[in-house]
């Protein structure tokens, strides 16, 4: 095949050659045209093989006009086309990034919301881990102001499916079968002269043995190693020696601050620590009952080796040393006085997080967990005391979002995440019970915001199936913030703590608030009014039931 360099086209049969721009004109004659006769024409031969355009070496003659030829014209068009495509791409990218954020997209966003179709083919006996296939939000673009009626339909569907059914409490033998090692370590009776649940355990190591060598908290977290380094140094001094044997004092918490996150539990923890008769675990939130004993360090990292109960008990060794010093004092030995030091634990996940059950316990036909955290705590500590701090669930959710969201935080983004989460929750309650959805790991991980944490009454009712009501103190963050002295006195009375001097009380009640909202989060302002109205409607039936259970209308949160 030959190429005409002047024309930059294939020299094919003559009828196709007439399409050449330079050879064609109103009075064109092939015999008189110097180009068509072969003058100024430099043919290139390619051995009759097709030659790629970019492989052609540009050859010019002295008679070639620089930018007047067809080649130059075609090159200019190509550059213009490429430039136009680049501009259009940049415009589309900018349109998507800014339009999606402000709800201006003409193309439906995959994160907008609409009716969630239930799947009737999903049978009750299927694993909840398969439900993620059905939790795909439909595409429906609704503006932030006009979408309230549509989302209200979703909330009405959820409300119609709400049933507060009392769960069946498992018996003790069933619990033993699930956690035999835990039952072999923790006794069913504690020392009678200690207010806190403690017991002596034989220690079979020697002075060169590291008692914390295998502790998972020390192995996986660098910031706790300093604590364990100190415990190693003083460990041998706190052993109790009797008949050529060594014993260590083991203790469990006397009380638990079990929830909820972003409800002021850190502030309550920091103030209680200042009481002379209160001690806490070496780590504020061990999350052992809910996560670590299942091998969950961080939810995003999957499962690791399970933390044995001994690792959890090690966290109370500092407090156990002080309790042992009191127990061995002359006043206790001679006069029969009790130790009044009590230990607390403040994992804010204890009340609500039962997400790991589906991976370790046999699934029930209704999709509900057969065992909950409180079942095991009650099995070992039927007299444990529980403190719950709550706040308006609407404000709690926004605070939770601001605290845990990593990027692109805004009131508009929060609105979209709320709408998507409501849609996912609706899809679940159409096929499963309320309890099954609340404790569903797949659903909870799929929801962009943790709606389920604000369903306080669902969790509280399940705790009341194993603990008496007088063992649970429920506080409101709003009351704690407005009258801290009053709420702290309620806690002291609930825990049977001794009186304080005015100086000690002032130190506890007048300390600055802990874990307040970060300045950069404050600058984002409040949530959108539409979002607040949507969440009020969603949480209203749950708050109503909570107020009925607690006989206190303050838990309706009407004034906030």
């Amino acid at each position: 095949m030959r190429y005409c360099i002047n024309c930059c086209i294939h020299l094919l049969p003559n009828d196709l050659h007439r399409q050449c721009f330079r050879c064609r004109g109103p009075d064109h004659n092939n015999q008189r045209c110097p180009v068509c006769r072969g003058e100024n024409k430099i043919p290139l031969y390619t051995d009759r093989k097709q030659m790629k355009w970019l492989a052609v070496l540009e050859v010019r003659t002295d008679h070639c006009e620089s930018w007047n030829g067809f080649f130059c014209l075609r090159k200019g068009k190509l550059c213009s086309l490429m430039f136009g495509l680049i501009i259009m791409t940049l415009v589309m990218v900018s349109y998507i990034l800014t339009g999606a954020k402000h709800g201006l997209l003409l193309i439906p966003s995959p994160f907008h919301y609409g009716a969630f179709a239930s799947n009737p083919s999903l049978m009750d006996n299927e694993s909840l881990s398969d439900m993620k296939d059905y939790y795909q939000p439909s595409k429906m673009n609704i503006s932030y102001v006009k979408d309230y009626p549509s989302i209200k339909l979703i909330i009405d569907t959820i409300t119609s499916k709400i049933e507060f059914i009392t769960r069946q409490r498992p018996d003790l033998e069933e619990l033993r079968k699930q956690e035999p090692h835990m039952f072999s370590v923790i006794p069913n009776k504690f020392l009678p002269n200690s207010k806190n649940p403690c017991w002596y355990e034989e220690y079979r190591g020697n002075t060169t043995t590291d008692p914390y060598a295998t502790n998972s908290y020390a192995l996986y977290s660098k910031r706790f190693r300093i604590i364990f380094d100190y415990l190693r140094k003083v460990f041998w001094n706190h052993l109790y020696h009797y008949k050529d044997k060594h014993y260590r004092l083991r203790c469990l918490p006397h009380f638990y601050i079990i929830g909820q996150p972003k409800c002021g539990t850190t502030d309550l923890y920091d103030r209680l620590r200042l009481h002379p008769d209160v001690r806490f675990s070496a780590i504020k939130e061990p999350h052992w009952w809910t996560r670590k004993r299942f091998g969950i360090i961080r939810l995003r990292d999957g499962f690791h080796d399970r933390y044995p109960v001994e690792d959890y008990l090690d966290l109370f060794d500092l407090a156990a040393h002080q309790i042992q010093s009191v127990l061995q004092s002359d006043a206790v030995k001679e006069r029969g006085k009790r130790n009044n030091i009590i230990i607390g634990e403040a994992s804010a996940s204890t009340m609500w997080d039962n997400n790991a059950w589906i991976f370790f316990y046999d699934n029930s036909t209704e999709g509900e967990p057969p065992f909950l955290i409180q079942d095991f705590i009650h099995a070992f500590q039927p007299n444990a005391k529980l403190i719950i701090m709550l706040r308006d669930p609407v404000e709690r959710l926004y605070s939770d979002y601001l605290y845990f969201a990593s990027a692109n935080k805004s009131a508009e983004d929060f609105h979209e995440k709320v709408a998507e989460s409501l849609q996912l929750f609706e899809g679940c309650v159409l096929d499963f019970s309320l309890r099954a959805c609340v404790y569903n790991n797949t659903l909870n991980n799929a929801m962009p915001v943790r709606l389920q944490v604000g369903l306080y009454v669902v969790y509280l009712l399940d705790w009341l199936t194993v603990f008496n009501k007088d063992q649970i103190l429920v506080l409101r963050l709003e009351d704690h913030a407005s009258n801290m002295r009053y709420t702290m006195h309620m806690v002291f009375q609930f825990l049977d703590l001794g009186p304080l001097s005015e100086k000690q009380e002032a130190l506890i009640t007048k300390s600055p608030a802990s874990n307040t909202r970060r300045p950069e989060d404050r600058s984002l302002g409040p949530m959108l009014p539409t979002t607040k109205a949507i969440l009020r409607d969603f949480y209203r039936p749950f708050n109503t039931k909570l107020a009925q259970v607690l006989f206190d209308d303050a838990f309706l949160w009407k004034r906030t």
Side-chain angles (χ1 to χ4, degrees), residues 115-288:
F116 193 108
S118 64
N119 194 321
S121 65
L122 183 63
M123 304 304 292
D124 288 342
N125 59 356
E126 290 183 328
S127 171
L128 288 184
S129 62
D130 297 330
M131 293 172 64
K132 60 183 179 182
D133 295 332
Y134 303 103
Y135 294 154
Q136 300 297 331
S138 58
K139 298 179 179 180
M140 181 177 179
N141 187 318
I142 311 172
S143 68
Y144 299 129
V145 177
K146 296 180 180 180
D147 61 0
Y148 178 80
S150 299
I151 300 181
K152 186 65 168 63
L153 294 177
I154 296 175
I155 295 174
D156 290 343
T157 301
I158 295 172
T159 302
S160 66
K161 295 292 183 179
I162 295 176
E163 287 185 277
F164 300 103
I165 301 174
T166 304
R167 67 181 288 261
Q168 294 296 318
R169 175 178 165 183
D171 59 42
L172 188 60
E173 288 305 314
E174 290 179 302
L175 298 175
R176 289 181 183 275
K177 291 178 182 178
Q178 297 299 325
E179 299 287 351
H181 177 69
M182 198 189 310
F183 279 89
S184 69
V185 173
I186 302 176
N188 54 13
K189 290 184 179 181
F190 304 116
L191 296 177
N193 55 346
S194 176
K195 184 178 178 181
N196 197 87
C198 298
W199 68 97
Y200 280 107
E201 173 186 279
E202 184 179 355
Y203 179 70
R204 294 182 173 86
N206 53 44
T207 55
T208 60
T209 304
D210 181 0
Y212 306 105
T214 60
N215 186 286
S216 300
Y217 286 100
L219 293 175
Y220 285 108
S221 181
K222 294 181 180 179
R223 60 189 177 127
F224 300 138
R225 290 176 186 171
I226 298 176
I227 298 174
F228 285 101
D229 286 342
Y230 171 78
L231 287 173
R232 288 185 185 96
K233 294 177 181 178
V234 301
F235 178 80
W236 193 258
N237 297 331
H238 291 279
L239 290 179
Y240 177 65
H241 308 285
Y242 180 73
K243 291 184 178 180
D244 299 325
K245 291 184 178 180
H246 308 295
Y247 297 89
R248 64 188 298 188
L249 187 68
R250 287 295 207 177
C251 297
L252 280 169
H254 173 71
F255 71 95
Y256 296 84
I257 301 175
I258 63 174
Q260 290 287 62
K262 309 312 298 175
C263 290
T265 56
T266 299
D267 187 76
L268 179 61
Y269 162 83
D270 285 337
R271 296 182 192 283
L272 271 175
R273 287 176 61 195
L274 300 176
H275 195 286
D277 291 338
V278 176
R279 304 292 184 271
F280 275 93
S281 54
I283 303 168
K284 174 188 176 282
E285 295 187 88
H287 297 295
W288 184 80

Side-chain angles (χ1 to χ4, degrees), residues 361-428:
Y361 304 136
D362 292 335
N363 197 352
S364 61
T365 55
E366 295 83 12
E368 298 183 7
F371 309 103
L372 296 177
I373 302 303
Q374 51 266 40
D375 297 330
F376 293 98
I377 295 179
H378 183 269
F380 301 113
Q381 299 176 257
N383 298 319
K385 295 198 172 184
L386 312 167
I387 301 176
I388 302 172
M389 181 83 86
L390 305 177
R391 71 187 290 190
D392 181 354
V394 176
E395 297 298 334
R396 192 219 70 81
L397 186 64
Y398 191 50
S399 178
D400 195 72
Y401 162 79
L402 293 177
Y403 187 81
F404 289 105
S406 57
N408 300 322
K409 290 185 286 188
S410 67
E412 294 80 9
D413 180 67
F414 176 67
H415 180 91
E416 289 198 359
K417 284 180 167 55
V418 166
E420 183 182 350
S421 299
L422 285 170
Q423 183 176 325
L424 293 171
F425 196 80
E426 179 204 21
C428 183

Side-chain angles (χ1 to χ4, degrees), residues 42 74 96 99 173 193 260 267 279 304 355 483 486 539:
I42 305 176
R74 188 168 180 179
I96 291 172
E173 288 305 314
N193 55 346
Q260 290 287 62
D267 187 76
R279 304 292 184 271
H304 296 258
N355 289 332
N483 194 344
Y486 174 73
Y539 284 118

Side-chain angles (χ1 to χ4, degrees), residues 23 113 198 242 351 519:
C23 296
Y113 22 84
C198 298
Y242 180 73
M351 180 177 180

